[in-house]
Amino acid sequence: MKEHSSVTIRFNGFTILLLAVLSACIFGCGKSNRDKMDEAVEQGRQAAILFNQQEYVKSLAAISRSISLNSELKRDSALGESYLLLALCHRKVGQYDSSLSAFNTSLQYFHLVGDQRLERRGRIALADLYYELGRFRDAYSLASDAAGEAKVFSDAANLTHALLLVAKTSRKLQDYPRDAAALEELSHTEGREISNPDLMKLKFRSAVAARDPERTRDAFERWKSAVGGSGDSSGLAETYAAWGSYQLSLNHPDSALKAYSESLSMIGGIASRGLQTQVLTALGTIAYRSGRYDNAKLYFQEAQSLARQTNDIVGEQLIGLIMVACDWKNGRTSQSGAPELVKRCSDVSATCRQCGLRMGDMFAQFVKGSIQYRGGDTAGARVSFTEALRLDDQNISPDVDQYPVFTVIDAFLATERSSWSDPLLQLYAAQSNTGELFKLTEQDNLRDIQDLFSRSALKTDDLKIDHASVQLHLERNALKLLEQDIYEELSSGKGRNLERINLLNKLYPERLQEISVAAKALDGTNLQWLLFPRTIALETVRDTMPPNSALMEFVPLPNELRIIVVTKDSSYVRSVSITRDRLLGLVDEYQRLIGDPRLNTKTLNFNEASVLERIQELSSVLYNILIEPAMPYVGGAGKVYIVPPQSFGWFPFHTLRSGGGAVVTKFAVNYLPSAAALFFQSRKEKPVSDVIGLGHAGKTGWDVEYELKDIRSFFDKTKMLFDTAATIEHLKYLPCDILHVDAEFDLDLSVPENSAVVLSDGATPYGLRPVQFGSLLTVPYPPVLVFSNISPVPGALSRYAPMLFLAGGSHTVIATMWQGERKAKKYFGEVFYTNVMSNVSASTAYQQAMVAMATNSEYSRPHRWGLYYQFGR
């Protein structure tokens, strides 16, 4: 069920006639010029015909000749149309940079001749390409401007396309009110070019994205009513299929099964085969997840047959692989029959590789490796899993809303309780191969960090680095769109354009190379580890570690936990028998309880004593799981670096407690988002002479002045920036040794561009200006950054923001994970800044403050002091 296109430009008979009419507007030409003009018109006409026939290469040749002739004749109107067609041709063959350039050139010509309607159409087409390239803010800006103009000039066609784009981009940016408002405006637009059922479908998707159950139910009923009134059974089947998908997203498989079954009973006709394939695949997936592999295979067989009839390569190959998994999971294939299943996987892999279905190739390698491993072929499994991971490094996961068949991969991984790297991690653990286990664990860490930062437009105070960062961002988006174009063409059925598939596949290695070239400009910088990291060898980390230190990495596997301990001289691996689900359940419960704001607010009907007792119990249990096995190796270290796995979130290791006291009283704990942070260039700590406190309450109502002014009781020279002075610009010109920020920081993992620190707009006392995550590097960070996050949502500063601040040059980052208690925060500041005043390093002063609080009866409860984390070397 693909979303209604925001803009569809076809060069039909009217457009061809327009090109001819434009030629008649040229007067005073000599005979030779008239011949050129006739040829230009003819080439333009042929280019438009060839474009509609999907003969893109021939169309490019014709339109290029037309542009050359029209340039000689200075026919600006014709050039605008020609460049617009040129842009669309480049777009279809994967030449996105050339397409963007041609779009902008066409807009210049339309503006020059004053054709506002065509200029709007061109801007909408450009906005659509921006959207496809992941440049959602640029797309929104162009589309909203075009919508405003189209409304003024009663241009219903362009208004329809523009508003659809505004809605789509708003949804991608998670601005759901704006998404709903655009669709509502569209519903009141006279002469709109979208049917009422299609509009109701978009409103349903908008409500689903906004996670609004009441609005979703209402939108579903309205959509169903709109379709039912027309007697369209296939359309009604689509509504139930969408409802089934929604129920699955809520983890309601029974309700989903009912909706999909209702949908299947209504589907009929050749035109509905795509929807029928989707529904049968969904039903098979539900059965597969519940362990009913016989039933699942029946659904999948019928779905694959339909995919084959419609010549849908993507569906046919992926469904074929999940059918292999059904046979394997059924247990009917003996060990001697495993080679036949392996061969089927190899055949699918070869087909996928030949046609460019890289995600299918990766899935085939993974299923093959799983079968080999269970059959005892460890060597073969290792080769297959390694190849799957190699492809994973290159591939970008598809949007399952656009290609629902890819849900079969999620079903397989969920049933195996596995990630792409789990099998290799288990192999290395079983072989006691500490080096490979460490390298792959760090590879997962860095891939997660890279995934977030590659979706953020990073800005620094270095134009060269900024350019490299932007270029890398654009190249990644271009690769993602190229992959999407290939999937779209492969699943397009009998109308598949083989020439286009070949052209796009030839571009794939070039796109990968362009990403590598763009990344070279970041070599030797800290940002390299955020945007294009190398693999990390265990020996390199050991060489970098200071004396009397240790590093701990945690590898939660499906049925055990492996703890890697690295010291300057050696490395060790300990095993703890606990399932990953059980461990993550304990971790989640502990951090949820310790960060509960009600522990600091005297909330009525809140059983504080019970919560504190459970925190103490969990603290001891988790200490025995996570810390005690490593104590023989880390107990004598002065400093222990902890690299938490991404699945642990903001878990406070330093608060765990045994009979001998909290972890933080046994050794200094420094968190690292990745061991790569040990390689960062940073500003070394020195005796502190200048401290700056910057505070802004944002939308929280927190008394930032109360909190920050306490610093002056211990460090009287502290400069304070409040109200309109609390801007990021002020920090660019005020060097210091410690920057202490009290502000609201929100992290949005889905749309990193929405992540921001809320500061002042610099103009009005209550004006707000969110400083986007990617812009935080424009400040030259001092050696020490203390960030007290006053957001009521805990955990925003756990991983990505500290990595960014460390990459910005800070040696030590001290951050809070929840709001905390005012009195306890004051005591932390007293111990910390008093020690800093006596020329103690910030790292040592932090450790002294932690020990003082953890051993002081008034503040010893971990929710009062555990919110302070130290990141860095």
Side-chain angles (χ1 to χ4, degrees):
M1 293 185 299
K2 293 187 180 180
E3 189 162 307
H4 190 286
S5 174
S6 61
V7 56
T8 304
I9 298 180
R10 289 185 64 81
F11 285 79
N12 50 29
F14 173 77
T15 307
I16 297 169
L17 177 62
L18 175 63
L19 291 171
V21 171
L22 287 170
S23 70
C25 298
I26 308 298
F27 296 100
C29 301
K31 188 175 186 300
S32 61
N33 278 355
R34 188 165 317 193
D35 290 341
K36 290 180 180 179
M37 183 175 62
D38 289 343
E39 185 183 354
V41 171
E42 177 58 23
Q43 290 291 336
R45 188 180 72 83
Q46 284 297 321
I49 292 172
L50 290 166
F51 180 86
N52 280 341
Q53 293 174 346
Q54 300 183 23
E55 297 279 356
Y56 302 121
V57 175
K58 293 179 181 178
S59 181
L60 274 170
I63 201 62
S64 296
R65 176 60 179 160
S66 177
I67 287 173
S68 176
L69 292 167
N70 283 319
S71 295
E72 285 185 51
L73 297 168
K74 303 187 185 309
R75 300 175 65 225
D76 294 338
S77 293
L79 280 168
E81 283 276 357
S82 297
Y83 272 105
L84 185 56
L85 177 54
L86 181 69
L88 294 168
C89 284
H90 281 308
R91 160 69 188 85
K92 287 294 186 180
V93 296
Q95 298 169 349
Y96 310 125
D97 290 342
S98 298
S99 181
L100 289 171
S101 177
F103 270 129
N104 283 308
T105 302
S106 74
L107 291 177
Q108 292 171 12
Y109 279 110
F110 291 143
H111 186 73
L112 184 65
V113 299
D115 193 329
Q116 295 180 334
R117 188 174 184 280
L118 283 178
E119 186 178 355
R120 280 194 297 277
R121 189 179 73 168
R123 282 157 62 193
I124 294 168
L126 175 57
D128 198 48
L129 180 54
Y130 279 152
Y131 175 87
E132 292 178 313
L133 284 168
R135 295 170 60 176
F136 302 124
R137 294 191 188 280
D138 291 335
Y140 172 79
S141 179
L142 270 180
S144 59
D145 286 347
E149 288 183 15
K151 189 174 182 180
V152 170
F153 291 100
S154 300
D155 182 357
N158 279 328
L159 180 58
T160 298
H161 299 318
L163 286 174
L164 286 171
L165 256 178
V166 169
K168 286 204 307 183
T169 51
S170 298
R171 201 177 315 152
K172 284 292 186 181
L173 294 169
Q174 294 191 349
D175 189 341
Y176 302 120
R178 190 163 55 186
D179 171 21
L183 294 176
E184 188 60 29
E185 182 178 353
L186 188 56
S187 66
H188 298 295
T189 298
E190 294 288 337
R192 64 175 185 266
E193 293 191 354
I194 180 173
S195 68
N196 192 50
D198 281 344
L199 183 57
M200 293 300 105
K201 174 168 64 176
L202 293 177
K203 288 187 173 184
F204 172 77
R205 289 181 172 174
S206 173
V208 169
R211 300 179 181 87
D212 185 333
E214 186 175 341
R215 186 157 70 93
T216 301
R217 166 65 75 174
D218 180 65
F220 170 67
E221 295 297 339
R222 288 174 180 270
W223 179 19
K224 192 169 61 169
S225 176
V227 174
S230 63
D232 180 4
S233 61
S234 295
L236 201 56
E238 185 180 3
T239 67
Y240 279 102
W243 186 252
S245 178
Y246 171 62
Q247 292 300 318
L248 268 187
S249 72
L250 298 176
N251 198 26
H252 297 161
D254 291 341
S255 297
L257 181 64
K258 182 178 179 181
Y260 281 126
S261 299
E262 188 75 21
S263 174
L264 193 62
S265 69
M266 300 176 181
I267 298 175
I270 295 175
S272 301
R273 283 178 179 171
L275 178 61
Q276 192 173 357
T277 303
Q278 175 194 328
V279 171
L280 286 165
T281 303
L283 288 167
T285 300
I286 293 171
Y288 187 91
R289 283 178 177 268
S290 63
R292 294 180 287 113
Y293 303 115
D294 280 332
N295 288 349
K297 187 176 179 181
L298 291 174
Y299 285 125
F300 288 137
Q301 280 179 324
E302 194 172 349
Q304 188 186 45
S305 175
L306 286 168
R308 191 175 290 121
Q309 290 175 37
T310 56
N311 208 11
D312 173 8
I313 290 181
V314 177
E316 181 182 353
Q317 300 307 315
L318 290 176
I319 295 169
L321 283 170
I322 199 67
M323 287 169 61
V324 171
C326 286
D327 288 338
W328 177 52
K329 299 292 281 187
N330 266 328
R332 292 177 182 165
T333 304
S334 63
Q335 189 166 343
S336 61
E340 189 268 332
L341 296 179
V342 169
K343 182 180 183 303
R344 285 165 63 185
C345 290
S346 297
D347 290 344
V348 173
S349 174
T351 301
C352 290
R353 191 163 298 189
Q354 183 179 14
C355 67
L357 181 53
R358 291 162 184 82
M359 195 75 181
D361 187 8
M362 180 169 70
F363 185 33
Q365 294 290 344
F366 195 86
V367 175
K368 180 170 71 171
S370 300
I371 296 169
Q372 290 169 319
Y373 182 70
R374 298 283 174 84
D377 182 6
T378 305
R382 180 172 176 173
V383 172
S384 299
F385 289 136
T386 301
E387 177 62 10
L389 266 188
R390 184 190 71 80
L391 290 166
D392 187 35
D393 281 338
Q394 297 179 357
N395 290 336
I396 299 172
S397 298
D399 184 349
V400 293
D401 288 336
Q402 192 167 12
Y403 303 102
V405 71
F406 281 101
T407 56
V408 300
I409 299 177
D410 294 332
F412 181 84
L413 292 174
T415 305
E416 296 304 299
R417 309 174 77 81
S418 179
S419 68
W420 293 110
S421 59
D422 268 355
L424 276 180
L425 287 169
Q426 292 181 78
L427 276 170
Y428 294 142
Q431 297 167 355
S432 300
N433 191 336
T434 308
E436 290 298 322
L437 186 65
F438 178 86
K439 184 165 69 174
L440 186 51
T441 299
E442 267 302 323
Q443 190 174 324
D444 279 351
N445 274 338
L446 289 168
R447 186 185 291 115
D448 172 64
I449 289 167
Q450 178 190 16
D451 174 67
L452 182 121
F453 285 108
S454 65
R455 292 182 286 125
S456 307
L458 298 182
K459 297 178 183 177
T460 70
D461 57 356
D462 186 321
L463 292 178
K464 182 180 178 182
I465 291 178
D466 284 357
H467 176 74
S469 172
V470 168
Q471 194 59 35
L472 187 57
H473 185 68
L474 294 176
E475 296 295 352
R476 285 187 189 282
N477 285 349
L479 179 67
K480 182 176 182 179
L481 180 55
L482 180 64
E483 200 157 25
Q484 179 181 310
D485 283 346
I486 292 170
Y487 291 158
E488 182 179 319
E489 199 64 60
L490 288 173
S491 60
S492 61
K494 295 181 179 178
R496 183 183 307 123
N497 188 329
L498 295 179
E499 180 186 48
R500 185 183 181 217
I501 290 174
N502 290 332
L503 288 170
L504 295 175
N505 274 317
K506 285 179 181 178
L507 281 175
Y508 202 89
E510 294 178 24
R511 288 288 182 196
L512 287 175
Q513 181 61 27
E514 286 167 359
I515 289 176
S516 297
V517 170
K520 284 187 182 299
L522 296 172
D523 283 353
T525 69
N526 293 345
L527 288 193
Q528 172 193 1
W529 294 101
L530 275 61
L531 296 172
F532 199 79
R534 302 190 301 266
T535 57
I536 301 178
L538 181 59
E539 294 75 14
T540 308
V541 171
R542 285 172 49 189
D543 291 343
T544 309
M545 291 173 60
N548 196 31
S549 68
L551 181 143
M552 295 175 66
E553 296 249 12
F554 299 84
V555 190
L557 297 171
N559 294 308
E560 66 171 331
L561 169 70
R562 290 292 176 120
I563 305 173
I564 305 173
V565 182
V566 182
T567 66
K568 188 75 175 171
D569 303 316
S570 191
S571 56
Y572 313 89
V573 178
R574 298 301 303 269
S575 174
V576 180
S577 181
I578 185 171
T579 66
R580 180 162 55 200
D581 289 347
R582 170 65 176 158
L583 175 59
L584 294 182
L586 293 171
V587 164
D588 179 68
E589 184 184 4
Y590 184 72
Q591 65 184 10
R592 177 172 50 81
L593 292 177
I594 199 171
D596 193 323
R598 293 175 296 179
L599 287 171
N600 302 313
T601 56
K602 306 294 182 184
T603 305
L604 291 175
N605 301 319
F606 175 64
N607 192 338
E608 180 178 343
S610 175
V611 171
L612 291 173
E613 182 180 353
R614 180 58 176 162
I615 288 174
Q616 185 175 354
E617 179 185 356
L618 287 169
S619 178
S620 176
V621 169
L622 287 163
Y623 178 93
N624 291 331
I625 295 170
L626 299 171
I627 304 298
E628 180 60 35
M631 282 303 291
Y633 314 113
V634 303
K639 178 182 293 185
V640 175
Y641 299 106
I642 292 182
V643 184
Q646 185 269 339
S647 58
F648 275 32
W650 47 274
F651 182 71
F653 286 87
H654 59 293
T655 66
L656 299 183
R657 185 179 294 270
S658 69
V663 167
V664 77
T665 64
K666 302 176 188 295
F667 43 73
V669 174
N670 280 41
Y671 290 94
L672 298 176
S674 158
L678 292 171
F679 309 138
F680 282 2
Q681 304 169 42
S682 63
R683 299 174 180 88
K684 299 299 181 184
E685 289 189 41
K686 60 180 182 178
V688 176
S689 58
D690 291 302
V691 177
I692 292 177
L694 181 147
H696 197 278
K699 305 180 291 294
T700 66
W702 193 267
D703 192 341
V704 294
E705 293 192 30
Y706 175 90
E707 184 171 330
L708 284 177
K709 284 181 178 178
D710 286 335
I711 300 174
R712 279 190 171 154
S713 304
F714 322 115
F715 205 102
D716 59 359
K717 296 179 181 178
T718 302
K719 301 180 184 71
M720 294 292 176
L721 302 175
F722 300 120
D723 300 324
T724 56
T727 67
I728 197 166
E729 285 75 17
H730 277 89
L731 298 177
K732 295 179 182 179
Y733 311 107
L734 292 173
C736 61
D737 303 309
I738 297 180
L739 171 62
H740 192 131
V741 177
D742 262 29
E744 178 186 8
F745 175 72
D746 295 313
L747 178 67
D748 187 335
L749 294 177
S750 300
V751 186
E753 287 187 7
N754 289 343
S755 303
V757 177
V758 183
L759 297 178
S760 170
D761 63 3
T764 57
Y766 302 104
L768 303 179
R769 179 196 164 195
V771 180
Q772 287 185 348
F773 192 40
S775 299
L776 292 176
L777 288 178
T778 57
V779 176
Y781 286 104
V784 180
L785 172 66
V786 181
F787 198 121
S788 179
N789 185 16
I790 57 176
S791 169
V793 180
L797 288 172
S798 62
R799 185 176 181 86
Y800 309 102
M803 190 72 168
L804 187 70
F805 296 141
L806 292 171
S810 284
H811 184 270
T812 299
V813 175
I814 298 168
T816 64
M817 290 302 145
W818 57 91
Q819 280 188 344
E821 184 183 63
R822 294 178 188 272
K823 188 177 179 181
K825 293 177 86 171
K826 180 178 181 179
Y827 184 65
F828 170 85
E830 177 182 347
V831 180
F832 178 77
Y833 282 104
T834 299
N835 282 287
V836 165
M837 276 288 289
S838 61
N839 290 334
V840 169
S841 72
S843 298
T844 302
Y846 165 84
Q847 178 66 12
Q848 291 168 334
M850 289 290 95
V851 173
M853 297 185 79
T855 56
N856 184 316
S857 60
E858 187 175 0
Y859 304 109
S860 61
R861 289 175 176 173
H863 68 277
R864 289 180 174 159
W865 59 269
L867 69 162
Y868 287 98
Y869 292 51
Q870 179 172 246
F871 295 85
R873 297 200 58 168

